[in-house]
């Protein structure tokens, strides 16, 4: 555990020593802010019109703003993931520092968990940028807290999955651009799959739908924790980290 | 301290290390000598538990690299061919990180970092980013990293390659100062490196063991045979280069004459002597007596390839001699 934290801290330090961490946070903050602006503007306009027509039913902030906005955030995050994971192992393989890690008295699994945890923490920092806007809603309105927390939980779980996939892909190459490109492609594919299978009720459609990481976010965004989704995400993270471990071992055999 | 038996490492297509066995005693400093591609790095990677052997065993401080890698790793300090540095870290930060990685208790790290920065003369760059350091400093930070946990065994892969002569001397001095406390294996493809730093030498070529010997024995075996560069300027453009070459070959003690090039009427040769023969005086006399001008005569060191040729040739000669003796004995019996 000590070693996991050691590697994790080293990862975080190197993320924040380069512009990449700040760029990702700024980029996500801007995009999310823009989404927030359009969503609130539309809502204000809409409820103004509703009032003019004499319908006094107030609109729900959760449904009108927070839910679509966090759904949007999950899509944006999908495309930031490759930039977080691409260098994890590929860069260490290229510069040879992997030789230091692999000849030190730490277990392979500690290295992998440390790397993944570091990526996870950076991802949390990026997500945190969205909280500025969400906090404004809490300051001015009275949205329900619980669905917001559930949606964030979904974002974290989905991110954990994709980060594990990206980490795995990064162990298979020494070129971080290739690692990032392939991860981006996989994320894109998952995103497209969730669109195609949304209207497909055949057996294969539902299997693909089940495996598509994005569709499991649906329930979370509605504020519902379905244990099926949570189990899916957790086992997916476990499986991908297991794959990473195997790939790591085969590094030794092929080197 | 280190015991390697029948070690073989195969990659997909090549056999990088082929059935090597050797032992290194505690406190020794051993040179691992071989040309590029000989399998030095591969052997070191097996010893450091980075690569598993294809067959055979390697033992460090009594622990097998396959069965007990954690114990082996604790006792080894390793400087790979390119030092494993993180350019975005400061030297101090990096050494702290490696110290923790090697399992030094957190109370002692400060002291260890102070000690190795002093030893490796990097005290003045402790607060600098590693990415901004010169090659010589990087190598020293790499060395500091390898000794931070005070390991029993130090494995250094070409520690002086790519450094300038002054830096090479500095690294050599550091190695000498480390020699007493640690068992050291260092690899190199330069013969003089071994002469300077090592007590014993293990020579490998194309994955195979060629010789294990003390450095004094080895240099004795090789001493005497020398290579000489000769430049001859035959008067009036005649005789032909071939004629000159033949005349040089006739000088007693010469084993081989190679013509390097000839231009502007000057012909360059490289002459190798038999073991234990100094031929420079005789060469000079022969050229002058033939009425030619001797424009240069200079000893050049034997290249590593020449040494391998000589070593392997010597062994082959012995083998054939033994075989002949056996044949003679058999003949006598019949
Ligand atoms: N990862 C690898 N995959 C395939 N072949 C390799 C690999 N590493 C080294 N080799 C081959 O193994 C042989 C020995 O290499 P190496 O141990 O690096 O030699 P040295 O360090 O003495 O120069 C070379 O022929 C090299 O091409
Ligand atoms: Mg090498």
């Amino acid at each position: 555990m000590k070693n996991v934290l050691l590697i994790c801290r080293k990862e975080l330090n190197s993320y924040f020593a380069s512009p990449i961490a700040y760029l990702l946070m700024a980029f996500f903050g801007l995009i999310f802010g823009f989404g927030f602006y359009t969503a609130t503007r539309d809502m204000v306009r809409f409820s103004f019109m509703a009032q003019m027509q004499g319908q006094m039913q107030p609109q729900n902030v959760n449904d009108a703003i927070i839910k679509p906005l966090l759904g949007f955030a999950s899509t944006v995050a999908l495309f930031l993931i490759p930039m977080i994971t691409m260098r994890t192992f590929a860069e260490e393989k290229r510069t040879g520092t992997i030789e230091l890690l692999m000849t030190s008295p730490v277990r392979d699994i500690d290295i992998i968990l440390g790397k993944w945890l570091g990526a996870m923490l950076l991802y949390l920092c990026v997500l945190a940028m969205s909280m500025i806007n969400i906090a404004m809603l809490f300051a001015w309105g009275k949205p329900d807290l619980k669905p917001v927390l559930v949606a964030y939980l979904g974002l974290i779980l989905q991110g954990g999955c994709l980060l594990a996939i990206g980490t795995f892909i990064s162990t298979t190459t020494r070129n971080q651009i290739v690692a990032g490109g392939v991860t981006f492609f996989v994320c894109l594919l998952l995103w497209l799959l969730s669109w195609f299978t949304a209207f497909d009720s055949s057996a294969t459609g539902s299997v693909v739908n089940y495996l598509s990481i994005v569709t499991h976010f649906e329930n979370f965004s509605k504020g519902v924790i379905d244990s099926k989704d949570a189990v899916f995400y957790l086992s997916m993270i476990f499986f991908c980290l297991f794959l990473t471990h195997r790939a790591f071992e085969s590094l030794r055999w092929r080197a | 301290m280190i015991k390697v038996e029948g070690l073989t490492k195969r990659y997909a297509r090549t056999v990088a290390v082929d059935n090597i066995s050797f032992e290194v005693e505690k406190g020794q400093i051993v040179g691992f000598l071989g040309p590029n591609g000989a399998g030095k790095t591969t052997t070191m990677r097996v010893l450091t538990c980075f690569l598993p052997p294809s067959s055979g065993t390697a033992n460090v401080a009594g622990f097998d690299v396959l069965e007990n890698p954690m114990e082996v790793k604790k006792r080894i300090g390793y400087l790979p061919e390119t030092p494993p540095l993180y350019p975005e870290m400061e030297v101090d930060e990096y050494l702290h990180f490696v110290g923790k990685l090697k399992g030094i208790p957190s109370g002692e790290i400060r002291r260890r970092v102070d000690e190795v920065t002093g030893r490796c003369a990097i005290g003045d760059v402790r607060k600098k980013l590693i990415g901004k350091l010169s090659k010589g400093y990087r190598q020293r930070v790499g060395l500091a990293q390898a000794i931070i946990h005070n390991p029993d065994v130090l494995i250094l892969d070409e520690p002086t390659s790519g450094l300038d002569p002054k830096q090479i001397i500095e690294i050599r001095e550091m190695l000498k100062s480390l020699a007493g406390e640690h068992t050291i294996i260092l690899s190199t493809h330069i013969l003089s490196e071994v002469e300077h730093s090592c007590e014993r030498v293990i020579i490998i070529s194309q994955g195979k063991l060629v010789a294990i010997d003390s450095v004094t024995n080895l240099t004795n075996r090789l001493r005497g045979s020398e290579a000489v560069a000769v430049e001859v300027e035959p008067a009036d453009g005649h005789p032909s280069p071939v004629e000159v070459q033949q005349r040089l070959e006739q000088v007693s003690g010469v084993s081989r004459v190679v013509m390097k090039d000839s231009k502007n009427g000057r012909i360059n040769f490289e002459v190798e002597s038999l073991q234990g023969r100094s031929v420079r005086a005789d060469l000079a006399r022969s050229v002058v007596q033939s009425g030619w001008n001797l424009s240069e005569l200079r000893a050049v060191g034997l290249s590593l390839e020449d040494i391998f040729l000589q070593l392997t040739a010597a062994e082959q000669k012995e083998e054939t001699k033994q075989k002949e003796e056996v044949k003679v004995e058999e003949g006598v019996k019949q």
Side-chain angles (χ1 to χ4, degrees):
Chain A
M1 197 58 206
K2 209 179 72 196
N3 290 328
V4 175
L5 293 181
L6 176 67
I7 306 271
C8 172
R9 198 159 65 231
K10 180 221 131 213
E11 286 296 298
L12 269 186
N13 282 346
S14 78
Y15 280 129
F16 281 96
S18 74
I20 186 79
Y22 302 102
L23 279 177
L24 287 177
M25 285 164 68
F27 179 74
F28 185 78
L30 276 178
I31 294 258
F32 192 87
F34 179 71
F36 176 80
Y37 168 72
T38 23
T40 40
R41 189 194 55 192
D42 288 352
M43 182 186 167
V44 169
R45 232 183 246 162
F46 189 76
S47 45
F48 184 68
M49 266 155 49
Q51 261 175 350
M52 294 284 286
Q53 288 159 13
Q55 301 166 345
M56 292 306 286
Q57 193 185 37
Q59 230 187 338
N60 183 331
V61 180
N62 276 90
D63 286 341
I65 300 184
I66 298 185
K67 191 180 151 227
L69 208 50
L70 290 182
F72 173 64
S74 92
T75 310
V76 175
L78 207 61
F79 297 101
L80 297 183
I81 299 280
M83 285 190 257
I84 298 181
T85 56
M86 62 184 197
R87 45 179 296 293
T88 43
F89 282 106
E91 183 70 359
E92 304 238 16
K93 281 172 79 174
R94 191 182 63 80
T95 61
T97 44
I98 193 85
E99 229 169 321
L100 169 65
L101 297 182
M102 290 174 80
T103 58
S104 291
V106 290
R107 293 176 309 166
D108 292 354
I109 192 69
D110 292 345
I111 301 172
I112 294 164
L113 286 178
K115 292 241 167 206
W116 177 76
L117 204 61
M120 223 27 214
L121 290 181
L122 174 61
Y123 175 70
L124 290 184
C125 292
V126 171
L127 274 190
M129 300 307 288
S130 67
M131 275 160 33
I132 303 168
N133 291 317
I134 300 291
M136 285 182 191
L137 289 180
F138 277 93
W140 292 324
K142 288 200 174 41
D144 263 353
L145 182 61
K146 192 188 152 235
V148 177
L149 291 182
V150 171
Y152 269 108
L153 179 67
L155 278 176
I156 292 170
L157 285 173
Q158 180 193 301
C161 255
L162 295 166
L163 289 172
I165 293 177
T167 306
F168 167 65
I169 291 171
S170 186
T171 50
T172 60
T173 173
R174 51 170 46 212
N175 183 331
Q176 53 170 320
I177 305 300
V178 171
V182 173
T183 311
F184 181 78
F185 182 75
V186 170
C187 288
L188 191 69
L189 205 67
L190 287 171
W191 187 59
L192 290 177
L193 276 184
S194 73
W195 279 96
F196 291 145
T197 55
F199 313 105
D200 186 350
S201 54
S202 70
T204 45
S206 50
V207 169
V208 172
N209 204 28
Y210 178 75
L211 288 180
S212 163
I213 284 161
V214 181
T215 49
H216 289 269
F217 182 66
E218 282 289 292
N219 281 332
F220 283 102
S221 76
K222 288 177 195 146
V224 181
I225 305 184
D226 187 335
S227 58
K228 256 197 318 207
D229 298 322
V231 166
F232 172 83
Y233 276 141
L234 291 176
S235 45
M236 197 70 188
I237 292 173
F238 184 82
F239 177 67
C240 288
L241 291 180
F242 171 76
L243 274 187
T244 313
H245 192 235
R246 296 320 296 261
F248 207 71
E249 267 174 5
S250 87
L251 277 189
R252 288 190 194 275
W253 294 95
R254 284 181 294 119
Chain B
M1 200 49 143
I2 297 172
K3 194 171 171 191
V4 172
E5 267 178 72
L7 179 71
T8 300
K9 176 69 196 179
R10 274 181 289 271
Y11 291 114
R13 275 179 221 95
T14 43
V15 180
V17 175
D18 192 359
N19 196 11
I20 282 186
S21 305
F22 63 88
E23 276 184 48
V24 179
E25 302 290 324
K26 188 161 191 276
Q28 267 186 345
I29 171 164
V30 173
F32 216 55
L33 181 66
N36 283 326
K40 304 182 294 291
T41 301
T42 305
T43 310
M44 294 185 144
R45 285 180 163 173
V46 171
L47 286 175
T48 53
C49 307
F50 182 67
L51 293 179
S54 305
S55 64
T57 58
N59 232 283
V60 177
F63 296 99
D64 188 272
V65 291
L66 274 184
E67 278 155 25
N68 243 324
M70 276 302 170
E71 296 303 318
V72 174
K73 288 175 184 177
K74 276 182 203 159
R75 289 165 177 78
I76 280 189
Y78 177 37
L79 174 60
E81 220 161 336
T82 39
L85 306 174
Y86 295 103
E88 74 273 9
M89 285 191 192
E90 285 172 7
V91 172
D92 238 15
E93 184 190 357
Y94 172 73
L95 291 176
H96 271 90
F97 170 70
V98 177
K100 285 183 198 152
L101 203 60
K102 302 286 178 187
I104 301 176
S106 43
E108 281 175 42
I109 288 192
R110 175 94 263 154
R111 197 175 51 78
R112 288 299 309 163
V113 171
D114 287 345
E115 188 180 329
V116 295
T117 43
R119 268 205 123 127
C120 299
I122 46 176
D124 47 337
V125 295
R126 284 177 70 157
K127 289 289 166 219
K128 275 205 177 152
L129 282 182
I130 291 176
K132 299 235 160 87
L133 295 184
S134 69
K135 179 120 177 90
Y137 268 114
R138 280 160 180 255
Q139 197 70 12
R140 280 188 263 167
V141 175
L143 195 59
Q145 162 275 133
I147 60 175
I148 190 146
H149 54 308
N150 209 355
D152 294 339
V153 176
L154 255 184
I155 294 192
L156 312 171
D157 199 353
E158 313 225 358
T160 55
S161 77
L163 299 183
D164 66 36
K166 184 167 157 281
Q167 294 166 335
I168 290 180
I169 291 169
E170 285 166 357
I171 295 275
R172 274 183 199 153
E173 291 303 314
M174 275 170 221
L175 291 182
K176 279 214 183 102
S177 79
L178 291 170
E181 306 151 46
H182 310 266
T183 307
I184 304 180
I185 299 189
L186 66 91
S187 78
T188 173
H189 59 267
I190 300 159
L191 179 70
S192 64
E193 197 56 54
V194 172
E195 282 177 305
H196 278 104
S197 315
C198 307
E199 300 158 41
R200 272 160 61 79
V201 54
I202 298 171
I203 300 182
I204 62 170
S205 172
Q206 292 176 351
K208 293 205 173 61
L209 202 81
V210 178
I212 307 183
D213 214 334
S214 71
V215 171
T216 19
N217 278 351
L218 183 81
T219 40
N220 279 343
R221 264 165 92 178
L222 297 172
R223 181 174 300 139
S225 63
E226 58 180 358
V228 185
V230 183
E231 191 176 271
V232 178
E233 210 174 345
D236 315 329
H238 62 86
S240 70
V242 179
E243 216 171 311
V244 180
Q245 181 164 357
Q246 279 168 354
R247 183 69 54 85
L248 293 180
E249 275 166 354
Q250 282 161 10
V251 173
S252 85
V254 168
S255 65
R256 198 158 75 111
V257 180
V258 183
M259 198 181 79
K260 288 288 179 190
D261 73 280
S262 87
K263 53 176 175 254
N264 304 335
R266 295 175 179 201
I267 319 166
N268 285 291
F269 297 96
E270 192 169 300
V271 179
E272 280 172 31
S273 74
L274 292 171
Q275 256 180 48
R277 299 290 293 265
S278 181
V279 291
R280 270 182 278 177
D282 288 341
L283 278 175
R285 198 170 309 123
S286 167
V287 170
V288 174
Q289 277 174 359
S290 306
W292 307 324
N293 293 330
L294 180 65
S295 40
E296 191 180 0
L297 182 71
R298 157 175 67 87
V300 292
L302 284 173
S303 73
L304 194 54
E305 278 67 31
D306 300 330
I307 291 162
F308 283 115
L309 282 178
Q310 291 216 357
L311 282 173
T312 43
E315 269 159 26
Q316 272 165 5
K317 251 183 226 157
E318 264 167 36
E319 268 173 31
T320 45
K321 215 195 273 168
Q322 280 169 357
K323 271 183 203 151
E324 273 162 16
E325 277 167 11
V326 171
K327 267 185 205 154
V328 170
E329 274 171 26
E330 279 172 355
V332 169
K333 273 178 201 161
Q334 282 168 2

